[in-house]
Amino acid sequence: MPTTDQPAEQDPLADAQAGPQNGPGAGDTDMLEGASDGPAAAATSFSRDELLKIYYGRLFPFEEFAKWLAYGHDSKHPRADATFFQRREFCFTLDGDIFIRYQSFKDKAELQAAVNSRQPAKIDIGPLYNVPPQRRNAYSGLGSERAFAPVERELVFDIDLTDYDDVRTCGKEGHICQSCWPLMALAIQVLDRGLREDFGFQHILWVYSGRRGVHAWVCDARARRLTDEQRSAIATYFAIYKGQENGVVKLALTQTLHPSVQRAYTLLEEAWRERILPEQHLLEDEESWQGILRYIPDEDVREKLQGRWSSGRQNVEGNINTFRWLDLAAEVEKARASAQRSKDFSGAHGLRRACEEIVFAHAYPRLDMEVSKKMNHLLKAPFCIHPKTGKVCIPIDPAAADEFDVDAVPTTSQLVAELNNAPADRPSKGSDWQYTSMAAPMQSFSSCFLESLVASNRASMNSQVQSAVAAPSLAW
């Protein structure tokens, strides 16, 4: 198999593509705005390009990043594949919305050199191919067995808060704050638990996108080898939200909730009552609560609630949104019990599901399905800088997703300012990020993900060696 020890057959810029229509992902093509690096920007006088140069040169965790993507093949283990890392596609986004696809590198050092040289505004990660992407032209026109094709890729998920703009009242589009973050925290909790308990995956990396969403990278060996059809099936398994029609969310719910869906509802309902309703004020004004009442199939119940809430004479203790939700749930339950007594079983079932449907319609994860379905889809790399906000795409501990503070995510300006204040006598070699706000995210990356992945990779390779030794041999 060919290697990339020698320079590529053509300049990588030959693969550059201009314009967002050809880019790696919708919503990720905005260039970094000079004044958007947050409050720490005043602490530095560096330009955007200078900030990127310092970040890539001294703060980007190339060692840990490459160890993840090598999956143990960067070692001298007898089962290590020396071509593994160099068959991975990287895409650089340069100024002017220029996308350089099909980049590949022999090892961490070559990747680091290329990033420091190009200083991309954004880095995307693609699949592992059967040959190094930069040498793909050498395989064009060959038979199907040797044609350039993806062979492995993490199962990925992308969730964006803009898909919840009908739920959020705190802001729209690129806005994100602690009031709407619970929607992302719920998505992390529901998917992480489902992937682990229902599919048995163990090595899942959750990453803040740097602006208004989250990404998941499922890195187990069997997840990386899924076909497009299998990826689509797993994504569909979680796809309860099916868009909207006439202001009402369409839901893929069965008559009896699947155990995994029931498990998700337990998480959703508590967060709905305690965080989403009071923080998004969804039952305060008529326009909002009229939309929620549409999910109740009984006209009498809707009219009773509408009459009470419109009168403004309710003596409310505590948050009015929580009060009205409990009022709604009680009224629905009374109507359900009445329908049950009169043997209107269809009506009783519809009423029993009404509250569930409201919660699922507003709080269940809304996936970008196309990102998960295809092996060759690009996704923004962890630890790169979001081009619009200047924030670092940092890992998230799924067990502490509720506590994640989007306002505390470090920016390039902040990190450079912190680096300037680092001890002057620190070791000349080592990771400068440990003296900045990157230290905590890196600790999360290591303890919640990388350490267990490295151990699993080593155990898998050792098992392969033992199996090879134990295999029958015809040698005399």
Side-chain angles (χ1 to χ4, degrees):
M1 181 172 291
T3 69
T4 54
D5 290 354
Q6 301 300 320
E9 297 168 331
Q10 60 184 36
D11 189 318
L13 279 172
D15 293 317
Q17 299 174 332
Q21 70 274 14
N22 294 321
D28 283 336
T29 59
D30 299 315
M31 289 297 99
L32 185 65
E33 295 177 339
S36 63
D37 259 357
T44 71
S45 58
F46 295 106
S47 68
R48 187 282 310 266
D49 291 341
E50 290 171 326
L51 289 172
L52 282 177
K53 183 175 182 179
I54 296 170
Y55 178 74
Y56 286 134
R58 299 177 62 183
L59 294 168
F60 190 94
F62 285 102
E63 189 72 33
E64 294 79 4
F65 184 79
K67 183 174 287 294
W68 159 38
L69 292 176
Y71 291 103
H73 295 284
D74 54 347
S75 67
K76 295 183 179 179
H77 196 282
R79 301 298 295 185
D81 177 0
T83 72
F84 188 90
F85 187 82
Q86 62 194 257
R87 291 187 282 118
R88 172 75 69 167
E89 178 190 0
F90 295 90
C91 173
F92 293 169
T93 301
L94 306 183
D95 286 341
D97 285 0
I98 298 173
F99 304 100
I100 312 176
R101 289 206 58 176
Y102 303 115
Q103 302 298 284
S104 56
F105 309 99
K106 180 177 69 174
D107 52 24
K108 183 264 294 185
E110 196 170 276
L111 168 65
Q112 186 170 357
V115 170
N116 279 310
S117 174
R118 297 285 192 191
Q119 294 179 35
K122 185 164 68 77
I123 303 171
D124 287 275
I125 300 174
L128 195 78
Y129 285 88
N130 54 344
V131 296
Q134 284 203 22
R135 296 182 62 87
R136 69 195 182 285
N137 290 339
Y139 295 82
S140 62
L142 298 178
S144 59
E145 292 183 0
R146 299 186 64 191
F148 178 68
V151 294
E152 187 172 309
R153 201 261 194 282
E154 296 80 8
L155 173 63
V156 295
F157 294 89
D158 182 8
I159 308 167
D160 197 314
L161 268 171
T162 54
D163 291 326
Y164 296 80
D165 278 355
D166 61 309
V167 179
R168 298 192 293 167
T169 60
C170 57
K172 305 294 182 186
E173 298 179 352
H175 168 84
I176 186 171
C177 66
Q178 290 307 108
S179 292
C180 54
W181 176 255
L183 292 164
M184 293 293 94
L186 273 177
I188 292 172
Q189 293 164 350
V190 169
L191 263 69
D192 190 77
R193 192 166 175 182
L195 288 165
R196 294 179 193 276
E197 296 187 13
D198 300 343
F199 293 94
F201 297 129
Q202 301 177 46
H203 307 294
I204 306 171
L205 173 62
W206 286 96
V207 181
Y208 172 54
S209 72
R211 191 181 188 195
R212 61 196 179 201
V214 294
H215 300 156
W217 300 75
V218 187
C219 301
D220 299 63
R222 61 189 182 87
R224 304 196 310 266
R225 294 163 187 160
L226 292 170
T227 65
D228 286 350
E229 291 75 16
Q230 292 167 331
R231 292 166 193 268
S232 181
I234 292 176
T236 301
Y237 178 83
F238 291 105
I240 289 176
Y241 176 84
K242 296 291 186 181
Q244 300 186 40
E245 188 175 298
N246 299 323
V248 176
V249 170
K250 296 183 291 183
L251 299 167
L253 293 174
T254 54
Q255 287 276 24
T256 301
L257 294 184
H258 186 277
S260 66
V261 178
Q262 185 63 56
R263 180 186 64 217
Y265 180 73
T266 302
L267 289 171
L268 298 172
E269 199 276 334
E270 180 180 359
W272 170 252
R273 279 187 293 106
E274 297 183 0
R275 296 291 306 277
I276 298 172
L277 269 175
E279 293 184 25
Q280 295 301 326
H281 316 288
L282 293 176
L283 290 176
E284 283 189 23
D285 62 80
E286 183 168 356
E287 182 179 356
S288 294
W289 52 253
Q290 284 283 16
I292 288 178
L293 291 181
R294 292 179 187 172
Y295 292 88
I296 300 175
D298 189 299
E299 184 177 355
D300 289 341
V301 173
R302 293 197 302 270
E303 290 180 352
K304 285 181 183 178
L305 292 171
Q306 182 172 323
R308 284 205 293 268
W309 296 353
S310 298
S311 69
R313 295 193 300 270
Q314 290 173 289
N315 184 17
V316 176
E317 292 185 7
N319 187 280
I320 190 171
N321 298 278
T322 304
F323 177 88
R324 284 178 170 171
W325 175 251
L326 296 176
D327 186 25
L328 180 153
E331 199 64 53
V332 166
E333 176 56 26
K334 283 194 296 184
R336 185 205 65 78
S338 176
Q340 191 77 24
R341 287 193 297 270
S342 62
K343 301 189 184 306
D344 178 8
F345 300 118
S346 175
H349 176 76
L351 285 161
R352 182 182 67 80
R353 293 295 293 275
C355 290
E356 294 174 347
E357 290 183 358
I358 292 170
V359 172
F360 278 116
H362 293 81
Y364 191 82
R366 301 180 177 186
L367 308 179
D368 184 339
M369 294 288 288
E370 296 308 311
V371 172
S372 303
K373 288 180 177 181
K374 298 293 184 181
M375 188 184 295
N376 63 355
H377 201 291
L378 297 173
L379 189 63
K380 183 158 69 261
F383 304 113
C384 75
I385 306 300
H386 192 285
K388 187 73 173 179
T389 65
K391 290 183 176 182
V392 184
C393 302
I394 59 173
I396 300 171
D397 178 357
D402 280 327
E403 303 163 22
F404 186 79
D405 186 353
V406 294
D407 295 323
V409 174
T411 64
T412 48
S413 292
Q414 175 187 341
L415 293 172
V416 170
E418 292 170 348
L419 192 58
N420 287 340
N421 294 324
D425 60 348
R426 66 186 184 275
S428 58
K429 291 185 178 181
S431 301
D432 276 341
W433 52 255
Q434 63 188 302
Y435 302 101
T436 71
S437 297
M438 282 279 287
M442 287 303 302
Q443 173 59 36
S444 176
F445 177 70
S446 179
S447 61
C448 297
F449 172 72
L450 188 59
E451 290 176 358
S452 62
L453 179 64
V454 168
S456 176
N457 292 334
R458 187 183 303 113
S460 176
M461 287 183 173
N462 289 339
S463 177
Q464 292 174 35
V465 170
Q466 293 170 2
S467 297
V469 170
S473 173
L474 294 178
W476 293 90

